[in-house]
């Protein structure tokens, strides 16, 4: 909305929105893989179809906002709505927090870590790059 001509806004908005939507879609697909194990294919079908419906809804919203309040304020309003996906994305939590056997999994992970540390202590090799002098 700081551009002087409309084609500058469309170019920059399309570039930034395209990169942002691409990153959001990839991360949401990864999160689906963490939360759903059994019916993952079905959930991914809904995810992919939802992104198509979201693109359609956003184009209608952009068109309506530009018609009602002008192209500058309309683009700012749509940008505000899209930026809420960033804020909501910060509330994603790991699926392992909700696992019914979470304590057993954490115990197994700690046991593996202890074994790895024990083996590491036995195989003390000098590092390829010694950066111990940089530690404070």
């Amino acid at each position: 909305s700081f551009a002087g001509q409309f084609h500058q806004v469309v170019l920059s908005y399309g570039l930034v929105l395209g990169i942002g939507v691409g990153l959001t879609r990839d991360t949401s697909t990864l999160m689906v893989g963490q939360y759903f194990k059994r019916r993952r294919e079905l959930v991914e079908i809904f995810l992919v179809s939802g992104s198509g419906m979201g693109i359609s809804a956003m184009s209608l919203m952009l068109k309506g906002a530009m018609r009602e309040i002008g192209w500058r304020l309309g683009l700012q309003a749509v940008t505000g709505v899209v930026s809420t996906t960033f804020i909501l994305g910060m509330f994603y939590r790991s699926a392992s927090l909700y696992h019914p056997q979470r304590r057993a999994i954490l115990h197994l992970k700690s046991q593996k870590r202890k074994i790895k540390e024990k083996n590491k202590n036995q195989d003390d090799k000098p590092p390829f790059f010694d950066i111990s002098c940089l530690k404070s």
Side-chain angles (χ1 to χ4, degrees):
S1 65
F2 298 109
Q5 297 178 352
F6 187 67
H7 73 277
Q8 295 171 341
V9 174
V10 171
L11 182 65
S12 62
Y13 193 74
L15 184 68
V16 171
L17 187 67
I19 292 170
V21 167
L23 292 173
T24 304
R25 186 172 175 187
D26 288 343
T27 55
S28 64
T29 305
L30 292 173
M31 291 303 293
V32 164
Q34 285 187 3
Y35 280 96
F36 298 97
K37 298 292 182 190
R38 277 188 249 142
R39 299 188 184 259
R40 183 176 174 184
E41 296 87 13
L42 181 66
V43 175
E44 285 185 359
I45 289 171
F46 282 116
L47 179 75
V48 172
S49 64
S51 64
M53 292 185 335
I55 289 172
S56 300
M58 284 302 293
S59 67
L60 292 173
M61 186 175 142
L62 181 62
K63 182 179 176 182
M66 288 174 66
R67 183 178 47 234
E68 293 293 323
I69 56 178
W71 65 273
R72 285 182 186 249
L73 292 175
L75 288 175
Q76 287 179 356
V78 171
T79 303
V81 170
V82 170
S83 64
T84 58
T85 60
F86 171 74
I87 295 168
L88 293 175
M90 290 190 305
F91 293 110
Y92 276 151
R93 296 179 72 184
S94 175
S96 64
L97 293 174
Y98 305 109
H99 198 279
Q101 297 175 345
R102 180 174 182 252
R103 290 184 182 175
I105 292 170
L106 291 175
H107 176 71
L108 290 173
K109 285 183 178 181
S110 68
Q111 292 297 325
K112 286 181 183 178
R113 190 175 334 126
K114 287 179 184 177
I115 292 171
K116 197 179 278 187
E117 287 175 2
K118 183 179 177 182
N119 291 339
K120 184 179 178 184
N121 290 338
Q122 291 174 356
D123 299 333
D124 282 335
K125 296 179 188 175
F128 190 71
F129 292 110
D130 187 17
I131 57 170
S132 60
C133 62
L134 299 176
K135 294 181 182 177
S136 56

